[in-house]
Amino acid sequence: MHRHPFTALLTAALVLVQTGTVLAQGDAAEGKAIAFDRGRGNCLSCHAIPGGDLPGNIGPSLAGLKERYPNREDVVAIIRDETLRNPETVMPPFGRNLLLTDREIRSVVEYLYSH
């Protein structure tokens, strides 16, 4: 039986996902660019973020986020789809709606935790 080379990679990825191993890592510099980019993450339109100009005030300030949420995965989940935790939220589900990739979400979190 001939196996496609991609099959082994896919199998390994499934094992990692099933065991809870995180595949995507974040990058703080990329996260800052996404958070402040009005065409991508646009976090600054709703949240005050250290280093950002003209923040919105619809959402809470993101200063001191790591003290309020010691577990980064909680923030990843909020950005991915806050409606799972709070159906009344106005926060866009960036992951569910494919506005940001998992890596991009983790990069934003890396940036927010770098302060």
Side-chain angles (χ1 to χ4, degrees):
M1 179 172 155
H2 178 66
R3 291 181 74 189
H4 193 277
F6 183 71
T7 304
L9 180 61
L10 182 59
T11 302
L14 288 172
V15 168
L16 292 174
V17 169
Q18 290 171 347
T19 61
T21 302
V22 176
L23 297 175
Q25 297 298 315
D27 174 74
E30 177 187 29
K32 180 179 181 181
I34 293 167
F36 292 168
D37 185 332
R38 300 243 181 238
R40 307 236 8 250
N42 203 14
C43 307
L44 197 55
S45 68
C46 296
H47 301 278
I49 303 172
D53 295 327
L54 303 171
N57 61 3
I58 294 170
S61 171
L62 300 181
L65 196 64
K66 65 182 169 184
E67 286 79 28
R68 293 192 320 254
Y69 293 94
N71 182 352
R72 291 173 191 236
E73 291 304 310
D74 292 338
V75 180
V76 168
I78 289 169
I79 297 171
R80 189 176 289 133
D81 187 358
E82 174 62 353
T83 65
L84 296 173
R85 191 176 76 133
N86 176 7
E88 303 294 320
T89 189
V90 296
M91 172 105 174
F94 286 92
R96 186 187 78 204
N97 286 351
L98 305 178
L99 301 170
L100 297 175
T101 66
D102 191 57
R103 176 180 165 69
E104 290 168 331
I105 291 169
R106 290 179 184 284
S107 291
V108 169
V109 172
E110 269 309 302
Y111 171 66
L112 296 174
Y113 275 66
S114 69
H115 298 288

PDB file of all heavy atoms in Angstrom, residues 73-101:
ATOM      1  N   GLU A  73      -4.064  30.659  28.061  1.00  0.00           N
ATOM      2  CA  GLU A  73      -5.073  29.949  27.262  1.00  0.00           C
ATOM      3  C   GLU A  73      -6.463  30.531  27.460  1.00  0.00           C
ATOM      4  O   GLU A  73      -7.305  30.442  26.572  1.00  0.00           O
ATOM      5  CB  GLU A  73      -5.059  28.461  27.588  1.00  0.00           C
ATOM      6  CG  GLU A  73      -3.805  27.744  27.104  1.00  0.00           C
ATOM      7  CD  GLU A  73      -3.549  27.905  25.607  1.00  0.00           C
ATOM      8  OE1 GLU A  73      -4.482  27.671  24.802  1.00  0.00           O
ATOM      9  OE2 GLU A  73      -2.416  28.258  25.238  1.00  0.00           O
ATOM     10  N   ASP A  74      -6.720  31.145  28.615  1.00  0.00           N
ATOM     11  CA  ASP A  74      -8.007  31.811  28.832  1.00  0.00           C
ATOM     12  C   ASP A  74      -8.166  32.981  27.871  1.00  0.00           C
ATOM     13  O   ASP A  74      -9.238  33.183  27.293  1.00  0.00           O
ATOM     14  CB  ASP A  74      -8.130  32.308  30.274  1.00  0.00           C
ATOM     15  CG  ASP A  74      -8.220  31.179  31.285  1.00  0.00           C
ATOM     16  OD1 ASP A  74      -8.594  30.050  30.899  1.00  0.00           O
ATOM     17  OD2 ASP A  74      -7.903  31.429  32.469  1.00  0.00           O
ATOM     18  N   VAL A  75      -7.099  33.746  27.671  1.00  0.00           N
ATOM     19  CA  VAL A  75      -7.150  34.894  26.763  1.00  0.00           C
ATOM     20  C   VAL A  75      -7.217  34.426  25.312  1.00  0.00           C
ATOM     21  O   VAL A  75      -7.945  34.994  24.501  1.00  0.00           O
ATOM     22  CB  VAL A  75      -5.960  35.848  27.009  1.00  0.00           C
ATOM     23  CG1 VAL A  75      -6.007  37.037  26.055  1.00  0.00           C
ATOM     24  CG2 VAL A  75      -5.956  36.319  28.459  1.00  0.00           C
ATOM     25  N   VAL A  76      -6.486  33.376  24.990  1.00  0.00           N
ATOM     26  CA  VAL A  76      -6.574  32.792  23.648  1.00  0.00           C
ATOM     27  C   VAL A  76      -8.031  32.410  23.362  1.00  0.00           C
ATOM     28  O   VAL A  76      -8.568  32.713  22.294  1.00  0.00           O
ATOM     29  CB  VAL A  76      -5.641  31.571  23.498  1.00  0.00           C
ATOM     30  CG1 VAL A  76      -5.938  30.798  22.224  1.00  0.00           C
ATOM     31  CG2 VAL A  76      -4.176  32.004  23.524  1.00  0.00           C
ATOM     32  N   ALA A  77      -8.685  31.768  24.319  1.00  0.00           N
ATOM     33  CA  ALA A  77     -10.082  31.342  24.142  1.00  0.00           C
ATOM     34  C   ALA A  77     -11.012  32.541  23.981  1.00  0.00           C
ATOM     35  O   ALA A  77     -11.944  32.502  23.170  1.00  0.00           O
ATOM     36  CB  ALA A  77     -10.518  30.479  25.324  1.00  0.00           C
ATOM     37  N   ILE A  78     -10.762  33.606  24.724  1.00  0.00           N
ATOM     38  CA  ILE A  78     -11.596  34.810  24.616  1.00  0.00           C
ATOM     39  C   ILE A  78     -11.475  35.409  23.223  1.00  0.00           C
ATOM     40  O   ILE A  78     -12.482  35.761  22.601  1.00  0.00           O
ATOM     41  CB  ILE A  78     -11.200  35.836  25.697  1.00  0.00           C
ATOM     42  CG1 ILE A  78     -11.646  35.342  27.071  1.00  0.00           C
ATOM     43  CG2 ILE A  78     -11.792  37.210  25.397  1.00  0.00           C
ATOM     44  CD1 ILE A  78     -11.078  36.140  28.232  1.00  0.00           C
ATOM     45  N   ILE A  79     -10.256  35.516  22.721  1.00  0.00           N
ATOM     46  CA  ILE A  79     -10.063  36.091  21.385  1.00  0.00           C
ATOM     47  C   ILE A  79     -10.627  35.156  20.323  1.00  0.00           C
ATOM     48  O   ILE A  79     -11.247  35.600  19.359  1.00  0.00           O
ATOM     49  CB  ILE A  79      -8.573  36.393  21.128  1.00  0.00           C
ATOM     50  CG1 ILE A  79      -8.074  37.453  22.111  1.00  0.00           C
ATOM     51  CG2 ILE A  79      -8.355  36.851  19.683  1.00  0.00           C
ATOM     52  CD1 ILE A  79      -6.571  37.658  22.089  1.00  0.00           C
ATOM     53  N   ARG A  80     -10.432  33.873  20.499  1.00  0.00           N
ATOM     54  CA  ARG A  80     -10.906  32.899  19.521  1.00  0.00           C
ATOM     55  C   ARG A  80     -12.433  32.967  19.394  1.00  0.00           C
ATOM     56  O   ARG A  80     -12.968  33.050  18.300  1.00  0.00           O
ATOM     57  CB  ARG A  80     -10.463  31.496  19.927  1.00  0.00           C
ATOM     58  CG  ARG A  80     -10.721  30.459  18.857  1.00  0.00           C
ATOM     59  CD  ARG A  80     -10.181  29.099  19.258  1.00  0.00           C
ATOM     60  NE  ARG A  80      -8.724  29.085  19.226  1.00  0.00           N
ATOM     61  CZ  ARG A  80      -7.960  28.590  20.192  1.00  0.00           C
ATOM     62  NH1 ARG A  80      -8.485  28.047  21.263  1.00  0.00           N
ATOM     63  NH2 ARG A  80      -6.652  28.614  20.072  1.00  0.00           N
ATOM     64  N   ASP A  81     -13.143  32.925  20.534  1.00  0.00           N
ATOM     65  CA  ASP A  81     -14.612  32.971  20.484  1.00  0.00           C
ATOM     66  C   ASP A  81     -15.180  33.230  21.878  1.00  0.00           C
ATOM     67  O   ASP A  81     -15.504  32.303  22.610  1.00  0.00           O
ATOM     68  CB  ASP A  81     -15.177  31.673  19.923  1.00  0.00           C
ATOM     69  CG  ASP A  81     -16.680  31.739  19.683  1.00  0.00           C
ATOM     70  OD1 ASP A  81     -17.304  32.776  19.986  1.00  0.00           O
ATOM     71  OD2 ASP A  81     -17.229  30.740  19.193  1.00  0.00           O
ATOM     72  N   GLU A  82     -15.288  34.495  22.240  1.00  0.00           N
ATOM     73  CA  GLU A  82     -15.797  34.885  23.555  1.00  0.00           C
ATOM     74  C   GLU A  82     -17.272  34.517  23.728  1.00  0.00           C
ATOM     75  O   GLU A  82     -17.757  34.401  24.852  1.00  0.00           O
ATOM     76  CB  GLU A  82     -15.577  36.386  23.778  1.00  0.00           C
ATOM     77  CG  GLU A  82     -16.178  36.957  25.036  1.00  0.00           C
ATOM     78  CD  GLU A  82     -15.652  36.393  26.351  1.00  0.00           C
ATOM     79  OE1 GLU A  82     -14.876  35.418  26.346  1.00  0.00           O
ATOM     80  OE2 GLU A  82     -16.032  36.908  27.405  1.00  0.00           O
ATOM     81  N   THR A  83     -17.991  34.284  22.627  1.00  0.00           N
ATOM     82  CA  THR A  83     -19.411  33.930  22.754  1.00  0.00           C
ATOM     83  C   THR A  83     -19.626  32.602  23.465  1.00  0.00           C
ATOM     84  O   THR A  83     -20.700  32.361  24.005  1.00  0.00           O
ATOM     85  CB  THR A  83     -20.123  33.884  21.385  1.00  0.00           C
ATOM     86  OG1 THR A  83     -19.568  32.831  20.598  1.00  0.00           O
ATOM     87  CG2 THR A  83     -20.006  35.211  20.650  1.00  0.00           C
ATOM     88  N   LEU A  84     -18.607  31.753  23.496  1.00  0.00           N
ATOM     89  CA  LEU A  84     -18.736  30.481  24.214  1.00  0.00           C
ATOM     90  C   LEU A  84     -18.828  30.708  25.715  1.00  0.00           C
ATOM     91  O   LEU A  84     -19.488  29.958  26.425  1.00  0.00           O
ATOM     92  CB  LEU A  84     -17.549  29.562  23.900  1.00  0.00           C
ATOM     93  CG  LEU A  84     -17.439  29.111  22.454  1.00  0.00           C
ATOM     94  CD1 LEU A  84     -16.142  28.352  22.240  1.00  0.00           C
ATOM     95  CD2 LEU A  84     -18.639  28.279  22.062  1.00  0.00           C
ATOM     96  N   ARG A  85     -18.156  31.739  26.191  1.00  0.00           N
ATOM     97  CA  ARG A  85     -18.147  32.066  27.609  1.00  0.00           C
ATOM     98  C   ARG A  85     -19.228  33.084  27.949  1.00  0.00           C
ATOM     99  O   ARG A  85     -19.831  33.033  29.011  1.00  0.00           O
ATOM    100  CB  ARG A  85     -16.770  32.617  27.982  1.00  0.00           C
ATOM    101  CG  ARG A  85     -16.513  32.754  29.453  1.00  0.00           C
ATOM    102  CD  ARG A  85     -15.098  33.222  29.691  1.00  0.00           C
ATOM    103  NE  ARG A  85     -15.005  34.652  29.384  1.00  0.00           N
ATOM    104  CZ  ARG A  85     -14.409  35.535  30.170  1.00  0.00           C
ATOM    105  NH1 ARG A  85     -13.810  35.143  31.262  1.00  0.00           N
ATOM    106  NH2 ARG A  85     -14.366  36.799  29.829  1.00  0.00           N
ATOM    107  N   ASN A  86     -19.454  34.010  27.040  1.00  0.00           N
ATOM    108  CA  ASN A  86     -20.395  35.098  27.263  1.00  0.00           C
ATOM    109  C   ASN A  86     -21.204  35.337  25.988  1.00  0.00           C
ATOM    110  O   ASN A  86     -20.777  36.092  25.119  1.00  0.00           O
ATOM    111  CB  ASN A  86     -19.640  36.367  27.672  1.00  0.00           C
ATOM    112  CG  ASN A  86     -20.551  37.557  27.836  1.00  0.00           C
ATOM    113  OD1 ASN A  86     -21.767  37.448  27.775  1.00  0.00           O
ATOM    114  ND2 ASN A  86     -19.955  38.717  28.035  1.00  0.00           N
ATOM    115  N   PRO A  87     -22.370  34.712  25.876  1.00  0.00           N
ATOM    116  CA  PRO A  87     -23.178  34.851  24.658  1.00  0.00           C
ATOM    117  C   PRO A  87     -23.620  36.291  24.366  1.00  0.00           C
ATOM    118  O   PRO A  87     -23.962  36.612  23.237  1.00  0.00           O
ATOM    119  CB  PRO A  87     -24.400  33.971  24.923  1.00  0.00           C
ATOM    120  CG  PRO A  87     -23.999  33.065  26.029  1.00  0.00           C
ATOM    121  CD  PRO A  87     -22.957  33.777  26.824  1.00  0.00           C
ATOM    122  N   GLU A  88     -23.585  37.174  25.359  1.00  0.00           N
ATOM    123  CA  GLU A  88     -24.018  38.567  25.190  1.00  0.00           C
ATOM    124  C   GLU A  88     -22.888  39.506  24.756  1.00  0.00           C
ATOM    125  O   GLU A  88     -23.105  40.693  24.580  1.00  0.00           O
ATOM    126  CB  GLU A  88     -24.602  39.082  26.516  1.00  0.00           C
ATOM    127  CG  GLU A  88     -25.755  38.247  27.054  1.00  0.00           C
ATOM    128  CD  GLU A  88     -26.976  38.296  26.162  1.00  0.00           C
ATOM    129  OE1 GLU A  88     -27.289  39.390  25.648  1.00  0.00           O
ATOM    130  OE2 GLU A  88     -27.610  37.238  25.976  1.00  0.00           O
ATOM    131  N   THR A  89     -21.691  38.984  24.567  1.00  0.00           N
ATOM    132  CA  THR A  89     -20.536  39.825  24.252  1.00  0.00           C
ATOM    133  C   THR A  89     -20.675  40.516  22.898  1.00  0.00           C
ATOM    134  O   THR A  89     -21.359  40.013  22.002  1.00  0.00           O
ATOM    135  CB  THR A  89     -19.236  38.990  24.267  1.00  0.00           C
ATOM    136  OG1 THR A  89     -18.123  39.875  24.164  1.00  0.00           O
ATOM    137  CG2 THR A  89     -19.198  37.986  23.119  1.00  0.00           C
ATOM    138  N   VAL A  90     -19.999  41.640  22.770  1.00  0.00           N
ATOM    139  CA  VAL A  90     -19.892  42.310  21.470  1.00  0.00           C
ATOM    140  C   VAL A  90     -18.535  42.026  20.825  1.00  0.00           C
ATOM    141  O   VAL A  90     -18.260  42.478  19.721  1.00  0.00           O
ATOM    142  CB  VAL A  90     -20.120  43.839  21.585  1.00  0.00           C
ATOM    143  CG1 VAL A  90     -21.528  44.144  22.049  1.00  0.00           C
ATOM    144  CG2 VAL A  90     -19.089  44.491  22.484  1.00  0.00           C
ATOM    145  N   MET A  91     -17.710  41.248  21.534  1.00  0.00           N
ATOM    146  CA  MET A  91     -16.383  40.893  21.022  1.00  0.00           C
ATOM    147  C   MET A  91     -16.518  39.972  19.816  1.00  0.00           C
ATOM    148  O   MET A  91     -17.159  38.918  19.893  1.00  0.00           O
ATOM    149  CB  MET A  91     -15.588  40.190  22.127  1.00  0.00           C
ATOM    150  CG  MET A  91     -14.278  39.608  21.689  1.00  0.00           C
ATOM    151  SD  MET A  91     -12.931  40.592  22.262  1.00  0.00           S
ATOM    152  CE  MET A  91     -11.566  39.574  21.740  1.00  0.00           C
ATOM    153  N   PRO A  92     -15.921  40.348  18.692  1.00  0.00           N
ATOM    154  CA  PRO A  92     -15.981  39.464  17.517  1.00  0.00           C
ATOM    155  C   PRO A  92     -15.244  38.146  17.782  1.00  0.00           C
ATOM    156  O   PRO A  92     -14.190  38.146  18.412  1.00  0.00           O
ATOM    157  CB  PRO A  92     -15.259  40.257  16.427  1.00  0.00           C
ATOM    158  CG  PRO A  92     -15.201  41.659  16.911  1.00  0.00           C
ATOM    159  CD  PRO A  92     -15.213  41.595  18.409  1.00  0.00           C
ATOM    160  N   PRO A  93     -15.780  37.035  17.309  1.00  0.00           N
ATOM    161  CA  PRO A  93     -15.086  35.743  17.451  1.00  0.00           C
ATOM    162  C   PRO A  93     -14.006  35.611  16.371  1.00  0.00           C
ATOM    163  O   PRO A  93     -14.240  35.054  15.309  1.00  0.00           O
ATOM    164  CB  PRO A  93     -16.204  34.720  17.279  1.00  0.00           C
ATOM    165  CG  PRO A  93     -17.234  35.427  16.452  1.00  0.00           C
ATOM    166  CD  PRO A  93     -17.118  36.886  16.754  1.00  0.00           C
ATOM    167  N   PHE A  94     -12.826  36.156  16.656  1.00  0.00           N
ATOM    168  CA  PHE A  94     -11.762  36.237  15.659  1.00  0.00           C
ATOM    169  C   PHE A  94     -11.329  34.877  15.131  1.00  0.00           C
ATOM    170  O   PHE A  94     -11.000  34.756  13.954  1.00  0.00           O
ATOM    171  CB  PHE A  94     -10.555  36.981  16.238  1.00  0.00           C
ATOM    172  CG  PHE A  94     -10.776  38.456  16.360  1.00  0.00           C
ATOM    173  CD1 PHE A  94     -11.274  39.004  17.534  1.00  0.00           C
ATOM    174  CD2 PHE A  94     -10.501  39.297  15.308  1.00  0.00           C
ATOM    175  CE1 PHE A  94     -11.489  40.365  17.653  1.00  0.00           C
ATOM    176  CE2 PHE A  94     -10.712  40.658  15.410  1.00  0.00           C
ATOM    177  CZ  PHE A  94     -11.212  41.192  16.590  1.00  0.00           C
ATOM    178  N   GLY A  95     -11.315  33.873  15.966  1.00  0.00           N
ATOM    179  CA  GLY A  95     -10.927  32.538  15.510  1.00  0.00           C
ATOM    180  C   GLY A  95     -12.055  31.828  14.786  1.00  0.00           C
ATOM    181  O   GLY A  95     -11.865  31.294  13.696  1.00  0.00           O
ATOM    182  N   ARG A  96     -13.220  31.825  15.390  1.00  0.00           N
ATOM    183  CA  ARG A  96     -14.359  31.128  14.791  1.00  0.00           C
ATOM    184  C   ARG A  96     -14.702  31.694  13.415  1.00  0.00           C
ATOM    185  O   ARG A  96     -15.050  30.957  12.500  1.00  0.00           O
ATOM    186  CB  ARG A  96     -15.582  31.216  15.714  1.00  0.00           C
ATOM    187  CG  ARG A  96     -16.760  30.381  15.188  1.00  0.00           C
ATOM    188  CD  ARG A  96     -18.018  30.597  15.979  1.00  0.00           C
ATOM    189  NE  ARG A  96     -18.607  31.851  15.552  1.00  0.00           N
ATOM    190  CZ  ARG A  96     -19.423  32.580  16.297  1.00  0.00           C
ATOM    191  NH1 ARG A  96     -19.712  32.215  17.527  1.00  0.00           N
ATOM    192  NH2 ARG A  96     -19.930  33.694  15.842  1.00  0.00           N
ATOM    193  N   ASN A  97     -14.589  33.003  13.272  1.00  0.00           N
ATOM    194  CA  ASN A  97     -14.915  33.636  11.991  1.00  0.00           C
ATOM    195  C   ASN A  97     -13.720  33.703  11.035  1.00  0.00           C
ATOM    196  O   ASN A  97     -13.799  34.342   9.997  1.00  0.00           O
ATOM    197  CB  ASN A  97     -15.459  35.048  12.215  1.00  0.00           C
ATOM    198  CG  ASN A  97     -16.865  35.027  12.760  1.00  0.00           C
ATOM    199  OD1 ASN A  97     -17.515  33.990  12.830  1.00  0.00           O
ATOM    200  ND2 ASN A  97     -17.345  36.180  13.185  1.00  0.00           N
ATOM    201  N   LEU A  98     -12.618  33.051  11.432  1.00  0.00           N
ATOM    202  CA  LEU A  98     -11.410  32.978  10.605  1.00  0.00           C
ATOM    203  C   LEU A  98     -10.847  34.352  10.257  1.00  0.00           C
ATOM    204  O   LEU A  98     -10.261  34.553   9.195  1.00  0.00           O
ATOM    205  CB  LEU A  98     -11.686  32.170   9.327  1.00  0.00           C
ATOM    206  CG  LEU A  98     -12.238  30.759   9.547  1.00  0.00           C
ATOM    207  CD1 LEU A  98     -12.523  30.077   8.221  1.00  0.00           C
ATOM    208  CD2 LEU A  98     -11.298  29.932  10.405  1.00  0.00           C
ATOM    209  N   LEU A  99     -11.026  35.311  11.171  1.00  0.00           N
ATOM    210  CA  LEU A  99     -10.436  36.632  10.996  1.00  0.00           C
ATOM    211  C   LEU A  99      -8.946  36.598  11.323  1.00  0.00           C
ATOM    212  O   LEU A  99      -8.164  37.335  10.733  1.00  0.00           O
ATOM    213  CB  LEU A  99     -11.141  37.656  11.891  1.00  0.00           C
ATOM    214  CG  LEU A  99     -12.642  37.809  11.634  1.00  0.00           C
ATOM    215  CD1 LEU A  99     -13.280  38.653  12.721  1.00  0.00           C
ATOM    216  CD2 LEU A  99     -12.874  38.401  10.255  1.00  0.00           C
ATOM    217  N   LEU A 100      -8.580  35.753  12.297  1.00  0.00           N
ATOM    218  CA  LEU A 100      -7.188  35.548  12.666  1.00  0.00           C
ATOM    219  C   LEU A 100      -6.925  34.054  12.793  1.00  0.00           C
ATOM    220  O   LEU A 100      -7.799  33.305  13.229  1.00  0.00           O
ATOM    221  CB  LEU A 100      -6.866  36.226  14.006  1.00  0.00           C
ATOM    222  CG  LEU A 100      -6.985  37.744  14.074  1.00  0.00           C
ATOM    223  CD1 LEU A 100      -6.753  38.227  15.506  1.00  0.00           C
ATOM    224  CD2 LEU A 100      -6.003  38.416  13.117  1.00  0.00           C
ATOM    225  N   THR A 101      -5.724  33.645  12.441  1.00  0.00           N
ATOM    226  CA  THR A 101      -5.329  32.247  12.609  1.00  0.00           C
ATOM    227  C   THR A 101      -4.996  31.997  14.076  1.00  0.00           C
ATOM    228  O   THR A 101      -4.837  32.948  14.860  1.00  0.00           O
ATOM    229  CB  THR A 101      -4.091  31.908  11.759  1.00  0.00           C
ATOM    230  OG1 THR A 101      -2.978  32.649  12.266  1.00  0.00           O
ATOM    231  CG2 THR A 101      -4.322  32.213  10.280  1.00  0.00           C
TER     232      THR A 101
END
